[in-house]
Amino acid sequence: MLIQRATLLDGGTVDIRVEDRIVAVEPQLTPLPAEQIYDAANGTVMPGLHDHHVHLRSAAAALTSVRVGPAEVHSRADLARVLANANIGSDGWVRAVGYHEAVAGPLDRAVLDDVSPGVPVRVQHRSGVMWTLNSAGLARVGLADHPDGRLRSADHSWSDTLERNESGLIEVSRRLSAYGVTGVTDATPDLTVGDVVKLMDAHRRGELLQRVHCLAPGKRILHDTDLDLADLTAWITERHADDAPVAVHCVTAAQLVITLAALRSAGPHPKDRIEHAAVVPDDSVAELVETGATVVTQPNFVAERGEQYLEDVPPAEHHELWRVATLSAAGVPVALSTDMPFGDDDPWKAMRAAVFRTTGTGALLGGDERIPAREALQMFFGGPDAPTTPRQIAPGEPGDLCILGAPPEAVLAELDSGMVTATIVAGNLVHGN
């Protein structure tokens, strides 16, 4: 493909010849015989976005799930109404996602039995790490005597009994293509080799348009109820002995403290990652720097959940939430992501949240963590193996591009996915005309 009249983010108009990789970037290139031509019409052309932390299968399943978060459900009676009216899937389940205690308090099998219909129902906490099943659901998975119905997402002893829904990936992928996303890193911790192969096959078949990288098996989710420093240190040490990095899910201060201690004991690997870093106390910043680990975080939750944070988190700790500017200034490598489907799948919203740090009602949350628009944009330019190294429009770089129908100054001012006019993966047009 030859892209003509492309304005680079740093200025200058060029033609770009692209195959699996960028072949040439010149002020003007002569079309080759039978070469597909795309006229960018002086719009901005930049590296395609890479979302560094997503959950593809969960996103596909979420398309047919009912949402029961604070934005959709506001009381116990409201939860009962929504579940009663929810569609029952082809597998016989009602699948609900996004639950938070602000809706109707802590959820267990007894509460869910009271508010749910008599069919199997499973409700996922908005953190993604826990499901609550009603009695009919527990019986379906062979756990009729389970005391509270709360089951961890990563526990295969029950989740493997569920019917796998293989549909929906293409719809998720098309949405991402419309945002200019050309690659994703799937951060699901319990992916098997077979799961990874299926995702790669989906990409080869054209069902999944984005290039795909998977963190599993080097991803681990921590839980505050069973933090074990010795066990975590041993796991990290074993991974590092095989020259393999780790990615540790840290959403609380306790989880981060344990992870930093384990990384200190095990020693660093240049590609270690800390996922989320939702809470970073001031005295943990220097320790983060020492580990050399990359933080992959989601400031979009400031916009999506900020009102709940303002209510639940003491004001003196607001600045510790979803930090970006402080980490970058200290020398911590930082990349951005959406955590789709637990966060909104539009990366441009994540960028705006990093720039403005405003909640849904416009309140400022952690204003000192704001970063410039260009910096926020470039935090989606990294590749899967180097998430904090922005890709460039240059020969030899991957042939994955995002074309916007606006000049660079407008792109940086608006950070709006509606400006995306075309998306190219490996030299092929996957979105646009």
Side-chain angles (χ1 to χ4, degrees):
M1 175 179 286
L2 178 63
I3 303 168
Q4 297 179 322
R5 296 197 295 164
T7 302
L8 301 179
L9 198 58
D10 292 326
T13 301
V14 297
D15 289 353
I16 305 169
R17 176 163 288 122
V18 58
E19 298 173 3
D20 181 64
R21 294 193 170 269
I22 296 174
V23 175
V25 181
E26 301 289 347
Q28 189 169 7
L29 292 167
T30 302
L32 300 174
E35 185 171 46
Q36 183 180 1
I37 296 175
Y38 187 94
D39 184 5
N42 297 313
T44 303
V45 179
M46 63 186 195
L49 306 180
H50 188 99
D51 194 331
H52 298 286
H53 184 118
V54 303
H55 303 273
L56 289 168
R57 293 295 182 188
S58 293
L63 296 175
T64 55
S65 303
V66 59
R67 295 201 61 83
V68 292
E72 300 85 16
V73 181
H74 307 101
S75 66
R76 185 162 170 159
D78 205 14
L79 178 62
R81 176 187 59 79
V82 170
L83 292 175
N85 293 329
N87 292 327
I88 300 174
S90 59
D91 59 357
W93 285 83
V94 169
R95 186 183 192 275
V97 297
Y99 186 82
H100 183 267
E101 290 74 13
V103 170
L107 198 62
D108 60 18
R109 71 179 293 172
V111 173
L112 197 50
D113 283 347
D114 186 53
V115 299
S116 67
V119 300
V121 175
R122 65 184 191 271
V123 180
Q124 188 179 43
H125 192 269
R126 75 176 184 184
S127 66
V129 302
M130 189 72 66
W131 289 88
T132 302
L133 278 60
N134 68 353
S135 293
L138 289 167
R140 175 72 70 89
V141 299
L143 296 172
D145 295 329
H146 195 277
D148 58 23
R150 295 172 178 166
L151 306 175
R152 287 183 179 173
S153 302
D155 183 355
H156 286 272
S157 66
W158 74 276
S159 62
D160 282 351
T161 68
L162 300 173
E163 179 182 323
R164 297 296 182 186
N165 182 358
E166 297 297 329
S167 65
L169 264 186
I170 192 165
E171 182 176 343
V172 170
S173 184
R174 286 173 177 167
R175 284 176 59 90
L176 296 179
S177 296
Y179 300 144
V181 176
T182 59
V184 295
T185 294
D186 194 296
T188 307
D190 55 343
L191 292 181
T192 65
V193 172
D195 293 327
V196 174
V197 169
K198 285 181 180 179
L199 289 175
M200 300 307 171
D201 285 345
H203 176 65
R204 282 191 288 270
R205 292 194 306 268
E207 178 185 1
L208 186 55
L209 302 168
Q210 288 71 28
R211 301 186 197 248
V212 183
H213 175 71
C214 296
L215 292 182
K219 166 79 184 294
R220 176 171 285 199
I221 292 180
L222 302 183
H223 301 273
D224 280 358
T225 54
D226 60 358
L227 293 175
D228 187 327
L229 176 57
D231 177 67
L232 183 61
T233 301
W235 175 71
I236 294 174
T237 300
E238 181 179 354
R239 293 279 303 169
H240 286 182
D242 292 332
D243 194 26
V246 298
V248 186
H249 167 115
C250 295
V251 296
T252 68
Q255 292 167 13
L256 181 62
V257 168
I258 289 292
T259 298
L260 293 176
L263 287 171
R264 282 198 309 273
S265 296
H269 187 287
K271 293 185 178 181
D272 283 341
R273 296 171 40 140
I274 292 179
E275 308 301 310
H276 308 302
V279 181
V280 181
D282 291 337
D283 56 7
S284 293
V285 175
E287 294 181 68
L288 261 174
V289 175
E290 291 176 7
T291 68
T294 294
V295 167
V296 179
T297 190
Q298 299 86 30
N300 45 303
F301 288 126
V302 170
E304 297 172 33
R305 304 177 182 176
E307 297 304 317
Q308 199 66 50
Y309 294 145
L310 291 174
E311 182 176 333
D312 295 345
V313 179
E317 299 173 12
H318 286 174
H319 70 286
E320 299 177 350
L321 297 169
W322 303 107
R323 305 182 86 156
V324 181
T326 294
L327 301 184
S328 294
V332 176
V334 180
L336 298 186
S337 61
T338 64
D339 198 21
M340 172 192 79
F342 308 109
D344 193 292
D345 60 0
D346 185 346
W348 298 87
K349 292 182 179 178
M351 295 177 213
R352 290 201 299 274
V355 172
F356 298 109
R357 302 283 304 194
T358 51
T359 69
T361 60
L364 185 65
L365 179 60
D368 289 343
E369 296 301 323
R370 290 175 290 189
I371 59 173
R374 182 181 294 271
E375 186 176 343
L377 180 57
Q378 290 180 332
M379 286 183 176
F380 279 99
F381 282 178
D385 290 321
T388 62
T389 302
R391 289 166 290 129
Q392 307 294 321
I393 303 296
E397 292 277 357
D400 308 334
L401 304 174
C402 174
I403 303 175
L404 302 103
E409 57 271 20
V411 171
L412 293 172
E414 299 295 331
L415 295 175
D416 189 342
S417 60
M419 293 183 174
V420 176
T421 57
T423 303
I424 295 166
V425 177
N428 296 305
L429 190 68
V430 299
H431 170 73
N433 299 312

